[in-house]
Amino acid sequence: MKAKNVHVDCPHCGHSMHLLLDYSQGDQDYYEDCTNCCHPIRITLHVDEEHSKLSYRINADDEQYY
């Protein structure tokens, strides 16, 4: 299993928490609940295998785009 432990802040309540990002399945887009406020957090993973880099984005998924 390819995994990385990261420290993030909840976009809803600001609570600091650790997440284990499993990137063995390649690019992913999924939700995980905050351990403090239980609101869903959207996690987007991108695996750049050519450069051996993992990038991720954490957001509340409730932002409006105009």
Side-chain angles (χ1 to χ4, degrees), residues 1 3 8-9 16 20 27-29 31-32 34 38-39 47-48 53-54 59 63 66:
M1 176 170 105
V8 299
D9 295 328
S16 295
L20 183 64
D27 292 353
Q28 298 177 46
D29 189 12
Y31 291 86
E32 197 162 313
C34 173
C38 298
H39 282 92
V47 180
D48 182 355
K53 287 184 80 177
L54 170 67
N59 66 32
E63 290 108 18
Y66 296 98

Side-chain angles (χ1 to χ4, degrees), residues 40-65:
I41 301 169
R42 184 177 183 187
I43 303 167
T44 306
L45 301 177
H46 174 67
V47 180
D48 182 355
E49 293 182 17
E50 183 179 333
H51 297 101
S52 300
K53 287 184 80 177
L54 170 67
S55 59
Y56 61 92
R57 184 171 178 205
I58 307 293
N59 66 32
D61 200 33
D62 62 355
E63 290 108 18
Q64 295 181 6
Y65 298 99

